[in-house]
Amino acid sequence: MKLLKLVPQDTNIRFLRLRVPFFIASLLLMAASWGIVAVNGLNLGIDFAGGQEVRLNFVEGNAAPVGELRETVEALGYGTPVVQEFGSPNEVSIRVPLPEGVEDTPGAATAIGNEVIAAIETGYPDVRTDGNQTVSGKVAGEFSRDAGLALLFAMVAVALYIWIRFEWQFGVGALFALFHDVSLTLGIFALFQLEFSLQIIAAILAIIGYSLNDTIVVYDRIRENLKKYRKMPLPELLDLSVNETLARTVMTSLTLLVALLPLLIAGPASLFGLVAAITAGLFIGTYSSVYLASPILIWLGVNSDSFVPKETEADIQEKKVLGGL
């Protein structure tokens, strides 16, 4: 049986021929993304903006009806709630955004929580209230800081890992590509005002992981080819390396896309932001591995000498002896 090949074995696409215009376009997109974030801001979810959290326990039920609860709470008009299991399947945490200025009025936030509880008790008399508390803006600010540090540390750790495994130029290239991926993802969320929550932070970390994996595959082939084709011009060698890994990149991307598209089109609304971020990151990460992480090696002066062991004095003497025989 003949195997399916989405990419011909003798593919020879000259990716790096357009490296300069694509690099300039990427810089402009990054600047535009941060400009949109500065002007529009991010549509922060309850995790970062604060809100009222209600914890309930369905004493007689096996599992909390998360979907029905979300519809019930959303009908109260306080915005899109975050409803998720908390601890066991019959325990649930419900967080609703608070209207502006509510936190300054004593008891107002708790009253909103009581309204949520009353609406749920109407349809589920067996429910037990285990908590009704306000997530303050200070706590939300700590979430924002910790999330930003998590992204920063992840990117720096990735750069250090690639620096140690390859050369410093590869670490710089990978870090720049990851910064590009994160910037464009944030720009998309700011442009379309999609809710930005802890789920999206998890999605961005997943994007970093995917982009890193793709970049390392390309970098590993570049390193092999630098040893194998020492006289080949670097742009040609980079094109060769990208083409040799293209089949793997296309297959991996399509496999993920097949899993993501049904969720993006017909999945629950609560997962839309997460799935949209990963789907966008799939394309952005693949693009950055080819048009940013690879061509930047040319400008940073990568050459084959770093990957070929230098001859020792013993090797030179051995060659002289062998040559004299």
Side-chain angles (χ1 to χ4, degrees):
M1 180 177 163
K2 191 175 181 180
L3 296 176
L4 174 65
K5 290 186 177 180
L6 298 177
V7 178
Q9 191 169 359
D10 58 348
T11 300
N12 186 24
I13 303 173
R14 296 178 61 189
F15 289 103
L16 271 70
R17 181 178 57 181
L18 299 175
R19 63 183 180 274
V20 174
F22 273 115
F23 195 83
I24 294 173
S26 298
L27 291 177
L28 293 175
L29 285 172
M30 290 167 61
S33 295
W34 286 108
I36 293 171
V37 171
V39 173
N40 290 358
L42 293 170
N43 180 19
L44 298 178
I46 301 168
D47 299 318
F48 299 126
Q52 190 70 13
E53 181 184 34
V54 173
R55 294 200 326 214
L56 303 173
N57 188 316
F58 289 79
V59 181
E60 299 178 5
N62 294 324
V66 174
E68 297 175 9
L69 293 176
R70 184 177 292 109
E71 292 177 1
T72 301
V73 177
E74 194 167 4
L76 297 176
Y78 293 112
T80 303
V82 176
V83 184
Q84 57 190 141
E85 289 183 5
F86 184 85
S88 59
N90 66 326
E91 295 181 60
V92 69
S93 167
I94 302 174
R95 281 171 290 172
V96 295
L98 294 174
E100 190 175 350
V102 166
E103 286 189 43
D104 300 330
T105 305
T110 303
I112 291 175
N114 290 333
E115 186 179 349
V116 171
I117 295 170
I120 294 174
E121 286 179 341
T122 301
Y124 306 95
D126 65 318
V127 71
R128 184 186 73 204
T129 302
D130 288 343
N132 182 10
Q133 58 189 2
T134 304
V135 180
S136 67
K138 181 180 179 180
V139 174
E142 292 177 358
F143 279 156
S144 302
R145 184 196 63 206
D146 293 344
L149 289 175
L151 292 177
L152 177 62
F153 290 155
M155 294 172 64
V156 172
V158 163
L160 289 175
Y161 164 73
I162 295 181
W163 187 335
I164 293 171
R165 179 171 174 179
F166 299 97
E167 290 290 326
W168 69 268
Q169 295 97 328
F170 290 81
V172 172
L175 185 60
F176 183 79
L178 293 180
F179 182 73
H180 165 271
D181 299 344
V182 173
S183 298
L184 264 60
T185 303
L186 293 177
I188 290 172
F189 271 78
L191 178 63
F192 295 103
Q193 286 296 291
L194 298 173
E195 185 178 279
F196 194 85
S197 63
L198 286 176
Q199 279 188 336
I200 309 307
I201 296 296
I204 292 177
L205 290 173
I207 292 170
I208 290 175
Y210 173 81
S211 181
L212 168 65
N213 180 63
D214 201 33
T215 300
I216 285 182
V217 169
V218 176
Y219 275 178
D220 208 39
R221 185 56 58 90
I222 291 173
R223 180 173 61 175
E224 292 176 5
N225 287 336
L226 281 170
K227 297 176 182 178
K228 189 175 180 181
Y229 306 106
R230 298 191 61 190
K231 302 299 182 182
M232 182 181 291
L234 190 56
E236 294 181 19
L237 187 142
L238 295 180
D239 272 336
L240 174 65
S241 303
V242 173
N243 278 284
E244 288 178 343
T245 57
L246 188 60
R248 177 257 175 211
T249 299
V250 170
M251 183 60 72
T252 303
S253 300
L254 282 179
T255 302
L256 287 172
L257 199 59
V258 166
L260 290 170
L261 282 180
L263 284 173
L264 187 65
I265 296 171
S270 58
L271 292 179
F272 180 80
L274 174 69
V275 179
I278 297 177
T279 304
L282 182 66
F283 293 98
I284 295 171
T286 301
Y287 163 83
S288 66
S289 297
V290 175
Y291 283 108
L292 295 182
S294 296
I296 202 172
L297 300 179
I298 299 174
W299 300 314
L300 293 177
V302 170
N303 56 65
S304 60
D305 294 339
S306 303
F307 299 93
V308 178
K310 292 181 172 60
E311 287 187 326
T312 63
E313 186 65 30
D315 294 330
I316 296 173
Q317 292 300 326
E318 184 179 355
K319 281 186 176 181
K320 289 181 179 179
V321 171
L322 293 175
L325 294 178

